[in-house]
Structures are given as C-alpha cells and as structure tokens.
Amino acid sequence: MFRSRLFLKTFSTIVAGVLLFTGASYLSFVPWIRDTIAQQEERNGRVVLNNIYELARNAHHDIEAWRESALEARRRELRHLVQVAEGAITRLETEIAAQDLGPAAARRQLLEDIRHLTYGQDDYVFIADYESRLISHPDPELHGADFSEKQDIYGNLIVPPMVEGAREQGEGFHSYWWRRLGEEEPSEKLTYYKHLPDRNWVIGTGVYVDDVKEGVAARKAAVTERLRRHLQQTRVASTGYLYVFDSDLNMLIHPNSNIEGTDFSDLLNPVTGRPIGEELVAAAESPDRKLLYKWDKPSDPGNYVYDKVSWVRYLPGFDWYIASSVYLDEFRAPADTLTARILAIAGLAMVVAIISVYLFLRRLIVPITRLADTASRVGEGDLSAKTDIQRDDEIGVLASTFNAMVDRLKNQINNMERRVAERTADLDRTVQDLEVRNRESAEVNRMGELLQSCREEEEIYTVAAQTAKALFPEDSGHLYMQDDNGWLQPVVQWGDIAPGESFDDAHSCWAVRRGKPHRDPAACSESLCSRCCEARAESLCVPLLAEGAVIGVIKLNVAGGEASTAGLLDSREPLMTTVAEQIALSVTNLRLRERLRQQTIKDPLTGLFNRRRLEEALATEIARAERHNGRLGVVMLDIDHFKQFNDTYGHEIGDAILREVGSLLSRSVRREDTACRYGGEEFTLVVPDVDHDGLHALAEKVRARIEAEVAPALNGEVAGKVTISAGTALYPEHGKDVHGLLKAADDALYLAKEAGRNRVVDAQAATIMSLNH
C-alpha cells in the first residue's frame, strides 16, 4: 500500500512539474533564453577584443624585452672595449718608457697614441681630466677642448656628469645626443665611463643606439602587419569587425582598405554631432569601455537608425586604440532561432517524458525504497545492515555494490588511523632526508666554487675544513697531505680533537695501502690502525687520489664513540669521497699550474731563471731604479774553457759543472738578487741597490767560490780548477735600458777573457782599457 501511494505521488508530481515547466517556459524561459544568448554573444565580442588586445600587448612586451636585451649587449660591449683600451694603455706606457722620455713628454706621447685607438664604425676612446677637459680625443676640433659647460641639443651637460659619476662610483653609463665622426646630425649615444685614479683620468667610449631604435621600429611594423592579416579574418557575430587607430585619430588597421590609413578626426556621430573618434577614445577610458551609437548599414546608407556597439581598449605602449564594431540586432537573431527550436523540442520531450516516467517509476520505486531503508540504518551507525535485493540490472549492481561498500567502510574505519599514522611518519622521514640532501648538496657546490678560486694550497685546506665542519657538525677530523719524504703531515683539523701527528710512513695508513676508503671501529681490540685506536671513536679515512697516486688522507672521527653504527658510516662515506675527490683535484690542478709556471721561467738543468725571466726582471728593476733614483748592477759570468771540459770529460761532466755553478750562484746572492742562466755556459746576476764597490766585491766573491768549490764538489771527475770570467755594469752609468746594460757587462766580460780569464772586469775599467788600446 505504501509503495502504491509513493508511485502515484511521484508520478503525479513529475507530470505536474512537466506541465508547469512547459507553461512557465512560455511566460519567462523564452525571454530569458533570448537575453542570455544575446549577452553571451556580447561577451564573445568582448572576448575577441580582449584576445586581440592581449596579443598586441604581448607583442609590445616582446619588443621592449628585445630593446632592453639589445641595450644590455651594447653595455657589455662598451665595458669590454674599455678593458681592451686599458690593456692598450698599459702596453703603450711600457713602449714609451723604453724611449727614455721625460714624464711630461711621455704623458703627451701616451695621450697622442690613445687618440688613434678606434673600432667599429668610427667609434673611439676618449679621456677627460677632473676639470672635464678632453685631453685625448680623435677629433682635432675636440682634442684638448673644455667640456665643463658643453651641452647636447637638449641642454644636458655631456662630460661633467661622467667625471662626477666616475669619481664617486668608479664607473657608469651616460646617455646624450652627439654626432658621429664625420657627420653633422646628432644621434643618441650611450657612453660607458670608468675612473683611472692612478692617472687622475676618466676614460670612456660610446656607441650610437640608432640600430636599436630601427630594430624596434621594424619589429613594430611586423607586428602591425601580422595584426592586420589577423583582423581581416576575424569577425564578431555575422558582420562585426575590429580596427585599430592611434591618439591622433589615424586609422592604422581597418578591414576596409579605403578607410585604412586615413585621418577620421572629422567623421561625426550623426546623433551627438561630436567626432566619433573622440567618443571612441572617451569610451576606452570609461569603466565598461563601451560605446552605443546609431549608424547606417551598407544596405541602407545614410539612414542612421541602427543600433551599434563598439568596445574599445587602449594600448599605451604602441599608442593604439583597438576597437570592435557590431550591430546589436545580430546578437538577437541567433537567440530567436534557438528559442523556437528549444520550445518545439520541449513539447515533444514532454510527451515522451510522461510515458517514460510512468514505466520507469514502476520498476524503480520499490527497490529504491528498500535500499533507502538499509541506507538509513547504515547512516545511524549499524554497519551490519545489508540489502537482500537480487537483480541482474543496475539496481542489483547498486545493491551488491552498496553491501560491498559497507564492508569496505567497516575495514577502512578500523585501519584508517593506523595507515594515516604510518604515512605521516614516512612523509616526515622523507622530508627530513630531502632537507639533509639539499643542505649537503649546497655545501658541496659551495666548496666547489671556493676551490676554483683558491690560489694556494693552504686556502684549499681551509675550505676543506669549513666544508667538513658544515657537513658533519657533530664529528671531527684531520686532513693529512703527503710531503716529499713520504710522510703524512697534518695540515688542518676541525672539531674538538687533539692536534694531529705526522705519519713517518704514509703506508702505515690503511687507506693509503688500499687506495680506497677505510673504516676503523672504536674498540682497540678490533682496530687495525693504532692511530685510529687512540681517537677512541669510529673513524673513516678516505685517500686523496691524483693520477692513481695517494697525495693525502682525510680522516673523519664519527661522534658517539662505540655507540656509533655502521649505518652512520654508510651515510658519511659517499659524501666524504666526493669531498676528497674535489680536494685532490684542486690540489693537483694548483700544483700543475705552479709546475708549468716554473718550467716557463726556469732553466731545467741548473734550476736558475732563464733568459726570458732575466729580461723581464731586469726591465722591472730598471723601471724601479728610475722611479726611485736608485742604482742597479749586472754581472755577466762565463765558465772558462768550457768547451774543453765537454771535449775532454764528456757532456755529462759539463752538465754537472753547470749544475754546481748554478747551485753556488743561488747560495751566493741575496734574496732580492736574481741569478739566471743566460745561455750555454754564461750566467747573469741582477743586483739591485748596489754601488760600484759592492758589485765588484760580489762578483769577486762568486769568482773565488767557484774556483775553490766547484771542482772538489765533482769528486775528482775534473782535473784542475773550474774558473770563470766576469764583467760588471751599473745602471745608469753604463746603460739606461736592458740591451745597453747587458751589452756593457758583456763587453767587460769579453775584456776579462782577453786579459787572461779567471778575473772580474768592470764596465768602467773596460771603457778605459778600450781607450788605451
């Protein structure tokens, strides 16, 4: 009985609802549909306009980004050119210094040479002093000109802002309008300036940015052309279109080629009598960016009675007004057509629905009611409630699914809290692990950056200690490096531990023996290494490998002593291995650079500086003596009868003599002196801050020591004595440059050989002997 009443009630309610809906549709739904579709069409029109506006705005942003990128490229180019100019100035100073000019003449020559440093399209480098005077400029009219009051075409000072900025900031950029070399019309110029405080100069160079402006204009023209093609294919509703004009009311883009490119400022609104362009501009500034007006149609020209709407948006970057125009009746036509179709379909659907509802409710209501009763029991908390519906259709599937859902719900309630707790704990551990890995990765990356900047091994050791302390804050350790005797010497430590002791035998370290990381337990009874046992802590030793050889060991004492676990060392070892690899690579690279540098400036046989280094050192010392009004001595040495030693005893004995002479010279000169092998059996000494007597005494001392010590040091391999002849010369008396000073000493050496060898002849005495001869 209950189910019958539910069926009748449900059926009658649905039929009444269908009839009521049908009636209401005629009263309210049809106008609502019409208005909704019209509004949707209007929104579509706005969307089309907004899409075009965003397209244009993105294009403007792209052009601005290109302009900024181009200007930044010019700035980098200017910085590079000034750096090149500074290098050129240094070279010019060196060349001018060799010409023995006075300070004022040298400065004039330097500024004159700088005037000819040009590049690119007649671009150049200029120099100004602190009074804004151009002391070096390629233009004869501007060279030496006073620019303290000089302005560009817009009344802006040119040089004073650059001088002020350079003295305050060291460097900077300045824009002004100036003319190129050989041109009359000024152009915008971007200049980079830099302060040279050791010369009281401001150096600068600039580049004209015409090409950047031309590039911007070309890209804007391309954007305009792409937008024109796009708007020609874009429609709003049936006949609506979009167009673009600027603030001067010039029509830039319009589907009608007769209107595009014209000035429509005199085109009036026939209703208001105002220019239609001004009304469109005002609409762009209004909240809804919308203009309603009366206009004619192509099918009815001159009859301005048709409602029309335009939406307008302003793009300041291009000074564009982007507008759309469409007749309002085009919005209503689709709504009327769609409304009629909807009402016809609704009538047919109403009849079909009533019949279908009757048949459907008979089969649906009874099982749904029983299932609802069971659901109510489950909702009240009775999870043992089950439905007994057995059917082969969707109702049966729903019933069996409902029973299974209740069973799963019961199990999920029982297991949910446990699973949530486990997942939360796993997530916390994962987050902690990620934080640790991120911190470790950041520290290793920072170590790599610092190691690349290290110039001495001690700096590498300090970076290694800082990194190990940051990665393992609770642990301690040492870094050992192997010396020339094969000892492992402690170079740095971190953490709260006793100072490290050197290993007199590197192979007493198990990490060195094995060539890979070695772990040692805290218990001495299980330890293989007595030194690790003394630390009373679990330790990890990682060798520093370079080209297959061990150059050091990094040792980590893990905090916790005997309570430490193998898992803790497992987490430490990969990270410590990475640190060791980077340290070993940095030390190897640094040592290789130093070895290569020494090879370029030292003679491999004697260990003395070579001729190239001699000329560099002599030029430097001459310049220093000139600045400080000092003196400089040069001694040229030559082994007497060296060819006879080679012919008599062989080249190996000859090389041994050269090595002994080189070693004795190294021991005989002061720290500030320079001993060089000039070539063959010739040697040279550069002796700063010495007078005639001191230089002669040094040369005589060297001659006597060679005569007394070299032959005995060869253990009887050579019969007789090894002697030298020497010539001395002083700056500035005997020569004012490298060539002149070496020639004076060499001439004196030649006279010493002519006078019987095994003696010292001074350049002054050599001059007198030459005159007497």
Side-chain angles (χ1 to χ4, degrees), residues 314-625:
Y314 179 57
L315 182 61
F318 286 158
D319 187 25
W320 283 0
Y321 288 89
I322 305 175
S324 62
S325 178
V326 63
Y327 293 98
L328 290 179
D329 56 6
E330 292 185 10
F331 291 160
R332 303 188 185 100
D336 294 337
T337 301
L338 183 60
T339 300
R341 293 177 179 176
I342 290 175
L343 290 178
I345 294 173
L348 178 61
M350 179 184 66
V351 176
V352 174
I354 292 174
I355 298 173
S356 299
V357 166
Y358 174 79
L359 298 175
F360 177 73
L361 287 178
R362 291 188 60 183
R363 181 169 177 80
L364 180 66
I365 290 298
V366 173
I368 288 295
T369 303
R370 291 166 57 189
L371 188 59
D373 292 339
T374 306
S376 298
R377 292 172 57 193
V378 173
E380 294 173 356
D382 184 6
L383 296 181
S384 63
K386 297 290 184 67
T387 179
D388 57 354
I389 300 175
Q390 300 292 330
R391 290 174 53 161
D392 296 331
D393 57 7
E394 288 78 2
I395 297 296
V397 173
L398 180 61
S400 60
T401 303
F402 178 81
N403 290 336
M405 180 188 67
V406 173
D407 292 337
R408 286 196 301 272
L409 179 62
K410 186 187 301 183
N411 293 331
Q412 288 177 356
I413 291 175
N414 294 332
N415 298 328
M416 184 177 298
E417 292 184 358
R418 178 181 56 82
R419 294 169 61 189
V420 168
E422 292 175 353
R423 297 262 179 110
T424 302
D426 291 342
L427 183 59
D428 289 341
R429 286 192 295 272
T430 301
V431 170
Q432 291 174 2
D433 289 343
L434 287 175
E435 291 176 350
V436 171
R437 296 296 177 270
N438 289 338
R439 179 180 63 82
E440 291 174 349
S441 177
E443 287 296 336
V444 172
N445 291 338
R446 176 179 176 272
M447 178 186 70
E449 294 174 359
L450 294 176
L451 290 177
Q452 291 179 3
S453 303
C454 290
R455 305 179 70 175
E456 297 181 1
E457 287 192 30
E458 287 74 11
E459 295 177 346
I460 294 177
Y461 305 152
T462 302
V463 171
Q466 292 176 353
T467 303
K469 187 174 182 179
L471 292 175
F472 314 112
E474 298 178 355
D475 302 337
S476 58
H478 286 96
L479 175 61
Y480 297 88
M481 297 301 295
Q482 191 168 6
D483 61 13
D484 295 335
N485 299 320
W487 288 36
L488 285 177
Q489 299 288 355
V491 295
V492 72
Q493 69 181 51
W494 63 92
D496 187 14
I497 57 175
E501 298 180 359
S502 61
F503 287 50
D504 54 359
D505 180 11
H507 286 278
S508 64
C509 176
W510 283 80
V512 175
R513 291 188 199 178
R514 303 172 65 199
K516 61 182 180 180
H518 175 73
R519 301 181 185 182
D520 207 80
C524 289
S525 59
E526 302 176 5
S527 174
L528 294 175
C529 178
S530 59
R531 297 180 182 273
C532 293
C533 175
E534 294 172 359
R536 306 294 295 174
E538 286 185 281
S539 61
L540 173 63
C541 296
V542 180
L544 275 59
L545 299 174
E547 299 179 352
V550 177
I551 63 172
V553 173
I554 184 169
K555 179 181 180 181
L556 183 70
N557 296 319
V558 180
E562 297 181 358
S564 300
T565 63
L568 197 58
L569 288 177
D570 289 340
S571 65
R572 299 260 199 295
E573 183 173 331
L575 199 55
M576 282 297 296
T577 302
T578 300
V579 172
E581 289 174 352
Q582 293 207 27
I583 295 172
L585 180 61
S586 298
V587 171
T588 303
N589 290 341
L590 196 61
R591 290 177 178 177
L592 178 60
R593 288 200 300 268
E594 180 61 23
R595 187 160 61 247
L596 292 175
R597 190 186 72 84
Q598 292 295 328
Q599 290 175 357
T600 61
I601 64 174
K602 287 198 173 182
D603 173 49
L605 179 62
T606 63
L608 300 179
F609 290 116
N610 56 24
R611 183 170 181 172
R612 172 184 173 186
R613 177 58 180 165
L614 164 67
E615 294 177 352
E616 293 177 355
L618 190 55
T620 300
E621 293 297 338
I622 289 175
R624 182 181 292 111

Side-chain angles (χ1 to χ4, degrees), residues 68-313:
E68 287 300 324
S69 176
L71 290 176
E72 184 58 31
R74 301 300 187 279
R75 295 188 184 98
R76 291 194 299 270
E77 176 185 357
L78 294 178
R79 283 195 179 96
H80 174 71
L81 290 172
V82 169
Q83 291 176 356
V84 173
E86 285 185 273
I89 290 173
T90 303
R91 291 196 303 274
L92 291 173
E93 285 182 331
T94 304
E95 295 173 2
I96 293 172
Q99 300 176 11
D100 197 21
L101 300 176
R107 183 175 183 271
R108 287 193 302 272
Q109 181 63 41
L110 177 61
L111 293 173
E112 183 62 25
D113 291 343
I114 295 173
R115 292 183 62 198
H116 302 289
L117 296 176
T118 61
Y119 60 91
Q121 185 180 352
D122 295 329
D123 293 316
Y124 52 86
V125 174
F126 67 88
I127 296 178
D129 58 17
Y130 288 168
E131 287 74 35
S132 299
R133 183 180 299 277
L134 296 181
I135 59 177
S136 177
H137 196 285
D139 192 337
E141 297 180 4
L142 303 181
H143 181 65
D146 183 1
F147 264 64
S148 59
E149 301 294 334
K150 185 69 175 180
Q151 301 176 347
D152 65 4
I153 60 175
Y154 293 106
N156 300 314
L157 291 174
I158 300 175
V159 177
M162 291 189 281
V163 173
E164 181 180 356
R167 298 186 68 181
E168 291 181 357
Q169 306 295 332
E171 62 179 358
F173 291 91
H174 181 53
S175 293
Y176 55 93
W177 287 74
W178 196 246
R179 58 181 175 83
R180 294 179 184 267
L181 288 176
E183 297 183 5
E184 295 297 328
E185 293 298 325
S187 302
E188 185 178 4
K189 190 171 186 180
L190 176 65
T191 295
Y192 171 73
Y193 54 84
K194 185 176 182 180
H195 190 204
L196 303 179
D198 54 338
R199 302 181 179 89
N200 295 334
W201 291 352
V202 175
I203 186 171
T205 186
V207 63
Y208 293 91
V209 295
D210 295 352
D211 55 342
V212 176
K213 293 183 177 179
E214 293 171 0
V216 170
R219 282 164 171 76
K220 183 177 179 181
V223 169
T224 303
E225 182 58 30
R226 288 198 303 270
L227 188 61
R228 177 181 290 109
R229 293 196 300 267
H230 188 69
L231 295 188
Q232 289 175 350
Q233 301 173 2
T234 302
R235 287 291 179 267
V236 181
S238 299
T239 62
Y241 54 88
L242 289 94
Y243 54 94
V244 179
F245 62 93
D246 61 17
S247 57
D248 294 328
L249 302 184
N250 295 312
M251 187 63 69
L252 304 178
I253 302 175
H254 196 281
N256 189 338
S257 59
N258 295 327
I259 298 177
E260 182 172 301
T262 63
D263 180 359
F264 69 104
S265 59
D266 57 350
L267 184 62
L268 303 179
N269 184 333
V271 177
T272 63
R274 294 180 54 199
I276 189 67
E278 294 180 2
E279 292 184 349
L280 291 170
V281 170
E285 300 173 355
S286 65
D288 59 354
R289 303 189 183 99
K290 180 179 178 181
L291 175 65
L292 294 171
Y293 57 100
K294 299 287 187 178
W295 208 249
D296 62 351
K297 286 188 174 183
S299 59
D300 189 13
N303 187 18
Y304 295 90
V305 296
Y306 300 99
D307 292 328
K308 203 171 188 180
V309 61
S310 285
W311 295 283
V312 190
R313 296 200 64 176

Side-chain angles (χ1 to χ4, degrees), residues 618-664:
L618 190 55
T620 300
E621 293 297 338
I622 289 175
R624 182 181 292 111
E626 181 181 4
R627 286 197 301 272
H628 299 289
N629 295 322
R631 305 179 77 184
L632 176 67
V634 173
V635 180
M636 294 286 287
L637 313 174
D638 185 88
I639 300 176
D640 296 329
H641 305 297
F642 183 73
K643 185 175 184 302
Q644 295 181 10
F645 286 114
N646 276 334
D647 294 342
T648 303
Y649 303 106
H651 288 283
E652 290 186 2
I653 298 301
D655 289 346
I657 293 174
L658 292 174
R659 281 195 295 270
E660 288 297 328
V661 171
S663 175
L664 190 144

